[in-house]
Amino acid sequence: MNPVISNWAEQRVWIIGASSGIGAETAKLLLQRGARVALSARRVDLLQAVANFHPRSVVAGLDLTDPASVQAAYAQIAMEWQGVDMVLIVAGSYNEMRADNFDLAIARNMLELNLHGPLNCLDVVLPGLLAQGHGSIGIVSSVAGYSGLPKALIYGPSKAALINLCESLYLDLRPRGIGVYMINPGFVATALTAGNDFPMPALMKAPDAAREIVRGMERGEFHIHFPKRLSNVLRVLRMLPYRLYFWIIHKGTGL
């Protein structure tokens, strides 16, 4: 559904959320494969450690929740490269929440980063991509966005919104020559999941997740989801009647 990528050396890739976890590992992998990679996140010191003075890297710190900060980072990268070919939005946050511990401030902060942050990025990059008539946008959502899950009272809806956003972006952008990647990981061992107090089936390491993402983009896939033994089960469960779905989730998680 997207163009196949056979030569990363021609790609100018901007990764937002590249200081750790999936974003950092994807940045390292793409640098190894010859891409030019711009790394962005709040912690510039961590970005510099990931880039490791690589000659094809650019470090541009930003706060994804601040539109002016996103604009400044993009201006820095555009000055260096005269534009970008691919934007990967990996940054996101997770806070465990259920109805009996609902916290409006935490909910708003999560939505500000997980949903409004990608919108801040789109506001900056869409005009350039549309003007050049080629390129791509990838947004990391989650399998938690497929359907309601325990302890994901706000995280799940924020990711569901990104899934819908990617689908709509594809319909608008693909006819204009711009690819869209909807990326839905399962459980990945990162700082965000380290505090989970429940079993995480099919837990992956961040370098393995990065390889799945890059492999999917190389193949031109729109829906990049992994690990398949978890993501496909959740997709099938979502097609069941609600009564059966809720019963299976409750029995399966014990939550």
Side-chain angles (χ1 to χ4, degrees):
M1 294 175 66
N2 292 303
V4 172
I5 299 175
S6 57
N7 184 7
W8 284 105
E10 299 178 357
Q11 295 291 322
R12 301 166 294 178
V13 185
W14 184 18
I15 302 180
I16 300 172
S19 59
S20 63
I22 297 173
E25 296 300 331
T26 303
K28 294 175 186 176
L29 183 56
L30 290 181
L31 284 170
Q32 291 172 7
R33 299 200 179 187
R36 284 185 280 176
V37 181
L39 301 87
S40 289
R42 288 179 175 141
R43 292 284 303 275
V44 174
D45 57 332
L46 296 180
L47 294 173
Q48 290 171 337
V50 174
N52 195 27
F53 304 104
H54 199 291
R56 292 193 305 276
S57 68
V58 173
V59 171
L62 59 70
D63 178 352
L64 189 57
T65 65
D66 179 358
S69 177
V70 179
Q71 178 65 61
Y74 178 72
Q76 175 189 341
I77 297 165
M79 183 177 297
E80 184 85 17
W81 290 346
Q82 291 73 55
V84 298
D85 300 303
M86 176 183 292
V87 181
L88 293 179
I89 307 171
V90 187
S93 67
Y94 168 77
N95 289 89
E96 179 182 306
M97 191 179 297
R98 303 195 75 166
D100 58 1
N101 70 333
F102 179 76
D103 186 308
L104 181 59
I106 293 175
R108 287 185 181 277
N109 287 339
M110 210 183 319
L111 289 172
E112 192 64 32
L113 178 57
N114 290 0
L115 179 57
H116 297 164
L119 297 181
N120 292 337
C121 182
L122 291 178
D123 183 55
V124 169
V125 302
L126 280 175
L129 291 173
L130 287 167
Q132 68 190 25
H134 66 84
S136 58
I137 297 171
I139 300 178
V140 173
S141 178
S142 168
V143 297
Y146 291 151
S147 56
L149 293 170
K151 298 192 175 184
L153 189 66
I154 303 302
Y155 178 77
S158 73
K159 295 301 184 176
L162 291 181
I163 289 174
N164 190 292
L165 175 64
C166 287
E167 293 168 346
S168 297
L169 280 173
Y170 183 87
L171 292 171
D172 287 348
L173 296 180
R174 191 67 198 96
R176 304 284 294 274
I178 299 166
V180 177
Y181 307 102
M182 181 176 74
I183 304 166
N184 290 323
F187 292 109
V188 180
T190 67
L192 288 181
T193 59
N196 287 348
D197 60 356
F198 54 86
M200 293 180 281
L203 180 67
M204 298 181 67
K205 296 180 179 179
D208 295 329
R211 282 190 287 271
E212 290 285 351
I213 291 171
V214 172
R215 185 183 299 116
M217 294 188 299
E218 288 174 342
R219 293 173 176 172
E221 297 174 1
F222 165 68
H223 186 193
I224 302 171
H225 58 99
F226 54 87
K228 296 293 194 297
R229 63 186 184 276
L230 173 64
S231 58
N232 280 335
V233 167
L234 290 175
R235 294 171 70 196
V236 170
L237 286 177
R238 189 59 190 90
M239 294 186 289
L240 297 175
Y242 275 118
R243 184 186 299 274
L244 181 55
Y245 170 77
F246 290 147
W247 183 85
I248 291 174
I249 291 297
H250 175 69
K251 292 296 183 181
T253 65
L255 300 174

